[in-house]
Amino acid sequence: MAAAAVDAAATFTMPKRVLMGPGPSDVHPRVLAAMAQPTIGHLDPVFVALMDTIKQQLRRVFRTQNELTMPVSGPGSVGMEVCFVNLLEPGDTVIVCENGVFGGRMKQVAQRYGAKVVVVNDPWGRAVDPAKVKAALEAHPEAKALAFVHAETSTGALSDAETLARIAREHGVMTIVDAVTSLAGVPLEVDGWQLDAVYSGTQKCLSAPPGLSPVTFSARALDVAKQRKTPVQSWFMDVNLITGYWSGGTKRAYHHTAPVNALYGLHEALRMIEEEGLENVWARHRRVHLQLVAGLEAMGLKMLVPADERIPELNAVMIPEGVDDEAALRSRLLNEFGLEIGAGLGEFAGKVWRIGLMGQSCTERHVQLCLDALKVVLKR
Ligand SMILES: *Cc1c(COP(=O)(O)O)cnc(C)c1O
């Protein structure tokens, strides 16, 4: 059912929603209030000081000392492109693990930049198999990087980033890691696991609005970007230029105009994570996820992903037999309960629902609302 047209002459008023899809997640009023402050100049010394603080906050949430750690202006997909376009030159070989939509997007991005892509396929709904990665690295000694998705939001599968990164290191290749949904949802140790180029997004477990992509590069990755033989194909995403703005000390060079108010919001969202404690945030995601799964299973529903490969923040549940029009049920959840859950993607379209428990949307109250609402719409 389509919504009524929005009147251009009237103030747009949002309906009340509870966000339990694959992102964005609920944004705390504190973050919204921070963003409602007046816009200041993006080179104002006060704003530059805020940028420095945000870089420090991001280092803590990524668990890294990497100098190049910053929020790129753009959604998670831009962070993905930043990693590929800076680290790969045309003709370079990259091994991309594909076990869902976002591994597939990585493959397309790498191909567009002229890389030779070797795909390691795993079934959707399962983790990346380290043995297959090892075999691919042995078959392709020319590979420059290994790319994989830590938490596949399209299916809810968690891959073992620590093991995959160790295998990559043993073969002398860099890692490009999608941590869009894993950051602040499950343990992620950029330095501890020696990951090279990692990107995330603000609208998943960080619970800030969409539009920024935290990115971090190891010293090695930054070196590779600096020593390229060919220029980075993108002017906007060239880290050699972006860092002049984000890391220029007091002498920042204008590169582009950062989304000032979005960064006020990110600062507040990261502050809330630090107030709670990052490890407590991880534990909350795990605890609330187990409550949701117990409730769904008590209703006779089945999860897609095996228990030991699940991410807590995205729960793919099989749509029960007898539901002919699952989209109509999601519309009812939205219209009658103000509750958004996600549809299945790709081969799971029409077969699963994706229930997000990300950041501020990861509470017992959310679980209760979701279970109650599902019981009502599944009854009729
Ligand atoms: C959401 C998501 C992205 C893309 O982020 P956008 O902000 O939508 O561009 C990439 N990878 C994963 C794993 C995601 O969940």
Side-chain angles (χ1 to χ4, degrees), residues 43 48 51-52 55 59 66-73 82 86 215-218 221-223 225-226 232 235-256:
L43 290 170
V48 169
M51 291 165 78
D52 284 336
K55 289 199 302 184
R59 287 188 187 110
N66 285 344
E67 175 55 34
L68 198 175
T69 303
M70 64 189 176
V72 169
S73 305
V82 164
N86 282 284
V215 168
T216 186
F217 273 30
S218 68
L222 189 54
D223 245 24
K226 281 190 176 145
V232 176
W235 177 87
F236 180 69
M237 290 185 284
D238 183 341
V239 291
N240 300 296
L241 301 177
I242 305 178
T243 49
Y245 178 43
W246 272 94
S247 317
T250 47
K251 281 209 186 72
R252 309 247 168 170
Y254 164 66
H255 175 257
H256 68 284

Side-chain angles (χ1 to χ4, degrees), residues 245-312:
Y245 178 43
W246 272 94
S247 317
T250 47
K251 281 209 186 72
R252 309 247 168 170
Y254 164 66
H255 175 257
H256 68 284
T257 310
V260 171
N261 294 59
L263 288 161
Y264 300 161
L266 177 58
H267 169 256
E268 190 65 19
L270 290 168
R271 215 161 76 81
M272 291 189 69
I273 288 171
E274 294 199 289
E275 278 174 12
E276 184 176 352
L278 182 58
E279 290 175 16
N280 297 332
V281 171
W282 294 338
R284 169 166 53 83
H285 280 86
R286 174 115 203 105
R287 186 180 70 244
V288 174
H289 153 78
L290 292 174
Q291 288 170 353
L292 176 69
V293 171
L296 292 170
E297 287 178 347
M299 289 169 62
L301 299 176
K302 290 197 167 48
M303 304 299 291
L304 170 70
V305 177
D308 57 348
E309 295 176 11
R310 285 177 198 153
I311 51 173

Side-chain angles (χ1 to χ4, degrees), residues 107-120:
K107 173 179 76 182
Q108 291 180 16
V109 166
Q111 282 168 342
R112 283 179 183 231
Y113 290 133
K116 292 191 189 116
V117 179
V118 175
V119 177
V120 172

Side-chain angles (χ1 to χ4, degrees), residues 50-66:
L50 175 66
M51 291 165 78
D52 284 336
T53 297
I54 291 173
K55 289 199 302 184
Q56 291 296 353
Q57 290 174 300
L58 286 178
R59 287 188 187 110
R60 291 193 288 269
V61 74
F62 269 128
R63 304 264 210 166
T64 184
Q65 309 279 332
N66 285 344

Side-chain angles (χ1 to χ4, degrees), residues 22-23 74-80 101-103 105-106 149-154 178-182 199-204 210-213 314 354 358:
S77 303
V78 173
M80 182 189 289
V101 166
F102 294 105
R105 187 173 296 182
M106 283 179 148
V149 178
H150 188 200
E152 218 347 310
T153 324
S154 62
D178 179 318
V180 175
T181 288
S182 62
Y199 61 91
S200 189
T202 43
Q203 77 275 29
K204 314 262 167 135
L212 289 169
S213 178
L314 194 287
R354 292 181 302 145
M358 298 180 178

